[in-house]
Amino acid sequence: VPDTRGRYYLVAVLGAWTNVVASLGSRTTGTKKTKFAIVGPNWKGKLPGGVFEVHSPTELAWLFARVQTSGGTDREAAARIQGEFMLTNLAGHDNRARKAPAYSARSGAIDVDIAAREQVSRMDAAGFFTRFAMLLTDNPPLKDDAPMLKKVKTLGIEAGHPFDVDKLGPVSARSIDEGAKSALDAISSDAKSGTGGDIRNGWTFDVALGRWGTDYGKRAVTAYISLGFNAPEDAIFMATHLDAGGHQLEGANRYLLHFDSDNSPPADGFWSLSLYNDEQHFVANGLDRYSLGSNSRLKSNADGSLDIYIQNVDPGSDRESNWLPAPKDNFNLILRIYWPKPDVVDGKWTAPGIRNVGRNENMLTRRQI
């Protein structure tokens, strides 16, 4: 990782079971140039000098990185730093390093052009459980998973062996297929209401993500929604499509998010408020602005409080710095808090509700997005 010169960044390292096994970056390792070696459970060797070991409990490991940007011209600076991140094979540094296993050959072809969720939905039970069994060999479950492994073994699902559903007989084979389809339907249905957690002032959030334990249902639903979540100490996301009165957010109304002087989102990193349409895409607007937050040039009120104006129409030049443009139709918001303070992680801090302050036609405007 490069020297980000104090700019916040986060690299989350996850194992095959989507548990966060390590967090690299501002909170844990600082922002200086550093080399890390991600090694699996069976790796044996000596790392080169100045390289820090990151242990993955499974041979299959993956990671995602986030680099802070304040938007506008800062995007170019952030992109330059992003381009300095490098991922190389450890074998190039140490001849004793073992070459990574060829998962595409061992467990079936991986189509990188089709979303994982879609690929899973196309599998029948035999295909899904065979993939699962093959991956078990190099990606051992945790000790707490022993009771579940015992259950699946009774169905003939064992590490390294293809799942032969025909051995169970025609009735059981049909039941397995029907059960797999019902399970996927249930996951899809549950995903519509999010990952669970708490709902406060219209905001939905969950402080128990990223390390799943034996909560297989939550892990499955969360993976269906978005594969890979941060550990709570790294980031907490709060989402809403409702105002404080429980009504859908829509462009016909003007909204206000007010933070008292001592109640802005508690973060040692930064926080941001982003707006999306119903398809979870940013909405084009004349300001080319899609989020506001602690790194924006927001104007505080005389008493130190902060108002963010969320609306489709221009609130006026004196409020433009705090304006988050909204579309004409429905939208939703996500409040992201990176490196949250303990009150957020412990669930003690609550974001204020989004206040509906009137219809657009009741306001004189100079510009409409």
Side-chain angles (χ1 to χ4, degrees):
V1 299
D3 184 346
T4 65
R5 296 175 286 282
R7 182 186 295 267
Y8 178 92
Y9 83 92
L10 167 66
V11 177
V13 182
L14 288 80
W17 304 99
T18 69
N19 290 305
V20 176
V21 298
S23 298
L24 315 177
S26 302
R27 181 180 68 84
T28 55
T29 57
T31 61
K32 298 295 184 182
K33 181 178 180 179
T34 314
K35 292 183 178 180
F36 300 97
I38 303 170
V39 299
N42 302 315
W43 181 82
K44 293 181 176 61
K46 184 178 180 181
L47 293 175
V51 178
F52 297 90
E53 180 178 327
V54 177
H55 175 79
S56 169
T58 56
E59 288 288 355
L60 180 64
W62 58 295
L63 55 97
F64 56 86
R66 302 179 187 272
V67 178
Q68 175 191 351
T69 175
S70 299
T73 57
D74 187 55
R75 293 176 193 163
E76 295 181 4
R80 284 195 296 271
I81 291 177
Q82 180 180 346
E84 295 176 16
F85 283 79
M86 294 179 62
L87 184 63
T88 59
N89 194 324
L90 180 59
H93 296 274
D94 185 351
N95 292 330
R96 287 170 290 185
R98 185 168 66 90
K99 185 178 180 180
Y103 279 98
S104 59
R106 178 175 301 184
S107 56
I110 298 173
D111 192 329
V112 298
D113 296 322
I114 300 177
R117 181 173 65 185
E118 178 62 24
Q119 292 188 57
V120 170
S121 70
R122 296 178 182 181
M123 292 181 181
D124 59 12
F128 179 84
F129 289 128
T130 293
R131 174 71 65 89
F132 171 73
M134 293 303 178
L135 288 170
L136 277 175
T137 303
D138 289 322
N139 302 285
L142 301 176
K143 292 181 179 179
D144 290 344
D145 294 315
M148 179 57 70
L149 284 178
K150 186 176 181 180
K151 285 184 178 181
V152 300
K153 188 175 181 179
T154 63
L155 295 176
I157 302 173
E158 295 188 68
H161 298 280
F163 177 61
D164 187 356
V165 69
D166 294 331
K167 287 184 177 180
L168 301 175
V171 175
S172 294
R174 185 166 58 252
S175 296
I176 292 292
D177 261 328
E178 292 173 352
K181 183 179 184 304
S182 296
L184 187 60
D185 289 344
I187 291 170
S188 174
S189 177
D190 289 348
K192 294 177 182 178
S193 57
T195 63
D198 292 336
I199 300 177
R200 301 181 191 174
N201 296 334
W203 297 94
T204 300
F205 66 100
D206 197 335
V207 297
L209 302 177
R211 299 187 186 94
W212 310 108
T214 57
D215 195 337
Y216 306 113
K218 176 174 284 191
R219 184 173 70 187
V221 169
T222 304
Y224 188 90
I225 296 171
S226 179
L227 192 63
F229 268 65
N230 296 296
E233 61 268 25
D234 287 319
I236 298 290
F237 291 2
M238 302 182 179
T240 186
H241 61 278
L242 304 173
D243 63 21
H247 303 292
Q248 170 68 51
L249 297 171
E250 55 177 320
N253 299 320
R254 295 176 288 115
Y255 299 96
L256 178 70
L257 177 59
H258 174 84
F259 294 109
D260 291 337
S261 59
D262 58 351
N263 198 46
S264 59
D268 284 320
F270 68 100
W271 63 267
S272 66
L273 179 72
S274 300
L275 186 149
Y276 303 88
N277 62 17
D278 282 344
E279 297 180 349
Q280 290 307 113
H281 294 154
F282 287 140
V283 180
N285 61 81
L287 294 182
D288 194 26
R289 180 183 293 169
Y290 310 100
S291 66
L292 288 173
S294 55
N295 296 313
S296 305
R297 296 180 179 179
L298 299 173
K299 292 182 180 179
S300 297
N301 299 318
D303 61 358
S305 64
L306 181 66
D307 289 328
I308 295 180
Y309 307 97
I310 308 163
Q311 54 193 64
N312 177 251
V313 295
D314 190 340
S317 58
D318 58 331
R319 295 178 173 182
E320 187 174 281
S321 62
N322 295 25
W323 176 25
L324 185 57
K328 294 180 180 180
D329 47 11
N330 294 347
F331 62 92
N332 64 87
L333 300 163
I334 297 181
L335 177 64
R336 294 177 169 90
I337 307 176
Y338 287 95
W339 193 351
K341 290 182 180 293
D343 279 356
V344 183
V345 179
D346 295 340
K348 297 177 181 178
W349 183 84
T350 300
I354 307 294
R355 289 164 45 194
N356 184 336
V357 293
R359 303 284 287 183
N360 285 333
E361 57 264 31
N362 296 328
M363 181 178 182
L364 295 176
T365 65
R366 294 181 297 104
R367 179 172 58 195
Q368 185 168 352
I369 296 297

